[in-house]
Amino acid sequence: MIVSAIDVDKLMLMAQQMSQGVATTLSLFILTLLFAMPLGLLVSFGRMSKNVIVRNVTKFYISVMRGTPLMLQLLVVYFGPYLLFGITISPSYRFPAAVISFSINYAAYFAEIYRSGIESMPAGQYEAANVLGYGKGQTFFKIIFPQVVKRILPSVTNEIITLVKDTSLAFAIAVLEVFTIAKQIASAQTSMVPYVAAGIFYYLFNYLVAFIMERVERKLNYYH
Amino acid sequence: MSVLSMKNIFKSFQNLDVLKDISLEVSEGEVVAVIGPSGSGKSTLLRCATFLESVDAGQVAYLGEAVDFRKKASIQRAKGCFGLVFQNFNLFPHYSVLKNIMDAPVTVQKRNKSEVYQQAIQLLDKLGLADRTDAYPCQLSGGQQQRVSIARALAMNPKILFFDEPTSALDPELTGEVLKVIRSLAREHMTMVIVTHEMAFAREVADRVIFMDGGIIVEEGTPKEVFDQPRQERTRQFLRNYSGL
C-alpha cells in the first residue's frame, strides 16, 4: 500500500514536470517553423540569385548549415557570445539560443526544398503569366508558389518530422524540453519510465504531424 | 491601320542566327499565317513580338507606338495590345477554368469583377465550354484546354492574337475543334498571326501567308500566290511535302 502511494506521487510529479517540458518543446517547434519557413524562402532566392556574390554567399551558408552538426551549431550560438566577446550569458538565453540555431539550420534545408520546387516549374507557367502582364511578384505568389507548395509538400513533411525529434538536441544547452526533463527524472529515480514516456510523446507528436500533412496533401489534390 | 510593325529584327542564340533582318507588318483585321520548316525562326519571331525573347536589333511597334525596351511602362503598355496562345496551352493548373480566364483581367487590368465575369461566361459559351466553368485544366481534353487558353487570351481584349502552333500538341480530332474556333475569330476579323503546320488551314483562313526558312522571309503573298504559284524554289520544295493542297 505504502509503496504504491509513493509510486502514484512519483508518477504525478513526473507527469507535472514532463508537461512543462511538453510546453517548451511545442514552443520550440512552432517558433522554429515560424522563422525557418519564411527565412528559407529568402535563402532560396539568394541561392538562385543572378548576382554571383549573393549566390555564392548563400551557397556557403547552406553548406555550413548542412555540413556541421546541429548540436555544434547549438553550442556555438549559445556559448559564442561569451567565448567570442566575453558577454555574460544568462540561463534565460537558453531557449532563444535554441530557437535561433534551429531556425537558421532548418532555413537552409527548407531553402533547398523550395529551390527544388521552384526549379521544377515549367518555363511555360512564367511565360503565360508574363504575356498576360503579371508582374514578377504577382507571378511568383499567385502562379508559381501555390504550385510549388503542392510539389514540395512530401519533402516538407519529412523535414517537419525531423524537427520534432531534433528539438531534443536542445538538452545540450539545458533547455527544459521533454527530453532534458526525461533524462533528469530518469537519473534521479533510476527509472526507465521517463524515457518511455518521452518516446511515446515524440511518436504521438509525429503521428499528428503526419496526419495533418496528409490532410493538407489531400486538400491540394484537386489538380495535378 | 498597322497593329503590329516589326522592322529589321535580328536575333541570335549564341552563334546561331535565328532571325536575320525580318520585317513584318500586320494591319487591323488581317489574318497572317506563318509557315516554314522547324528551326526556320517562326516561333522565335512570335516570341520576339511578345517580348518572351529580347531582340538583338530592330524595332517593334504596336498601334504605331514603338516599344522602348528600356522602359517598363512602354513594354507593359504594348503587352496590353496582344495575346498569345501557346502550343502546350500553359493554363494555370491550380485555377479553375473560370479563374484562368478572369484572373488577369481582374488583377492586371484592374477591371470590374462582375463585368469580367460576364465576359468570361460569354467567351466560354461561344467556345463551347459553358458547362466547364468550374472544371480544372487537368479534367479537360487537350482541345478543351486550348480553347480555354484562347478564351483567356481574348478576355484581355487584345488588338492582335498570336498563335504558336496551336494544334501541334493535339490529335486530328481535337485539332478540328480548335481550328473551328480560330476560323470563327477570323470571320469576326480578329487580327491574328498564326504559326502553323496545318497547311490546308493556313490556306483557308489566312489573308496573307508568310513562308520562312533559315531566319528570313523567303516568300509572302496571298494563299493563292504562295500555295499555287510559289515564286521561290525553296517554297516549292517545302510545299511538295504537303500533298492535297
Side-chain angles (χ1 to χ4, degrees), chain A residues 131, chain B residues 3-4 26 30-32 46 50 62 81-85 149-164 181-182 185 190-195:
Chain A
V131 169
Chain B
V3 179
L4 166 69
V26 183
E30 203 182 6
V31 177
V32 177
L46 275 202
T50 53
Y62 280 96
C81 298
F82 61 76
L84 171 62
V85 174
S149 91
I150 293 172
R152 178 174 71 174
L154 287 172
M156 301 293 280
N157 298 323
K159 293 281 181 282
I160 179 169
L161 200 48
F162 296 103
F163 292 84
D164 189 5
V181 166
I182 302 175
L185 290 173
M190 177 82 209
T191 312
M192 295 187 281
V193 177
I194 309 165
V195 169

Side-chain angles (χ1 to χ4, degrees), chain A residues 89-107:
Chain A
I89 43 177
S90 74
S92 67
Y93 176 56
R94 282 175 185 156
F95 182 76
V99 173
I100 292 168
S101 18
F102 285 149
S103 296
I104 59 173
N105 177 280
Y106 271 77

Side-chain angles (χ1 to χ4, degrees), chain A residues 75-98:
Chain A
L75 295 175
V76 167
V77 170
Y78 182 59
F79 292 113
Y82 173 71
L83 296 174
L84 292 172
F85 310 109
I87 301 166
T88 35
I89 43 177
S90 74
S92 67
Y93 176 56
R94 282 175 185 156
F95 182 76

Side-chain angles (χ1 to χ4, degrees), chain A residues 5 7 19 34 36 46 77 99 104 112 133 136 138 187 191:
Chain A
D7 277 359
S19 68
L34 225 51
V77 170
V99 173
I104 59 173
E112 287 297 271
K136 271 195 172 159
Q138 286 173 325
S187 331
S191 159

Side-chain angles (χ1 to χ4, degrees), chain A residues 122-135 138 142-144 146-147 222-224, chain B residues 47 50 52 76 79 82-84 86 90-95 103-104 107-108 136 138 152 156:
Chain A
Q125 290 291 302
Y126 289 95
E127 292 181 350
N130 183 338
V131 169
L132 288 166
Y134 288 94
Q138 286 173 325
K142 294 198 70 144
I143 310 297
I144 304 300
Q147 298 182 57
Y222 68 90
Y223 74 92
H224 50 254
Chain B
R47 293 175 63 83
T50 53
L52 290 176
Q76 197 66 15
K79 270 185 191 168
F82 61 76
L84 171 62
F86 296 86
N90 290 336
L91 289 173
F92 303 133
H94 57 310
Y95 285 171
D103 198 66
T107 31
V108 177
Y136 284 87
C138 62
R152 178 174 71 174
M156 301 293 280

Side-chain angles (χ1 to χ4, degrees), chain A residues 17-168:
Chain A
Q17 286 171 317
M18 293 283 276
S19 68
Q20 281 167 5
V22 167
T24 308
T25 296
L26 278 176
S27 346
L28 189 53
F29 169 78
I30 290 166
L31 287 173
T32 301
L33 280 187
L34 225 51
F35 291 124
M37 293 186 97
L39 186 63
L41 193 58
L42 222 62
V43 175
S44 80
F45 288 151
R47 178 67 180 76
M48 293 181 290
S49 168
K50 288 194 186 98
N51 185 311
V52 189
I53 299 167
V54 173
R55 195 171 61 237
N56 282 320
V57 166
T58 320
K59 226 169 146 175
F60 178 71
Y61 168 80
I62 292 173
S63 92
V64 170
M65 286 300 144
R66 294 202 302 187
T68 58
L70 177 51
M71 192 176 317
L72 179 72
Q73 293 165 19
L74 201 56
L75 295 175
V76 167
V77 170
Y78 182 59
F79 292 113
Y82 173 71
L83 296 174
L84 292 172
F85 310 109
I87 301 166
T88 35
I89 43 177
S90 74
S92 67
Y93 176 56
R94 282 175 185 156
F95 182 76
V99 173
I100 292 168
S101 18
F102 285 149
S103 296
I104 59 173
N105 177 280
Y106 271 77
Y109 284 94
F110 278 127
E112 287 297 271
I113 292 174
Y114 292 137
R115 185 170 70 91
S116 74
I118 291 167
E119 289 183 346
S120 77
M121 287 296 294
Q125 290 291 302
Y126 289 95
E127 292 181 350
N130 183 338
V131 169
L132 288 166
Y134 288 94
K136 271 195 172 159
Q138 286 173 325
T139 302
F140 185 76
F141 287 107
K142 294 198 70 144
I143 310 297
I144 304 300
F145 194 64
Q147 298 182 57
V148 166
V149 168
K150 181 184 162 81
R151 287 172 187 231
I152 63 174
L153 224 46
S155 317
V156 169
T157 303
N158 250 340
E159 213 49 45
I160 295 177
I161 283 175
T162 308
L163 173 62
V164 168
K165 293 176 288 181
D166 274 355
T167 55
S168 65

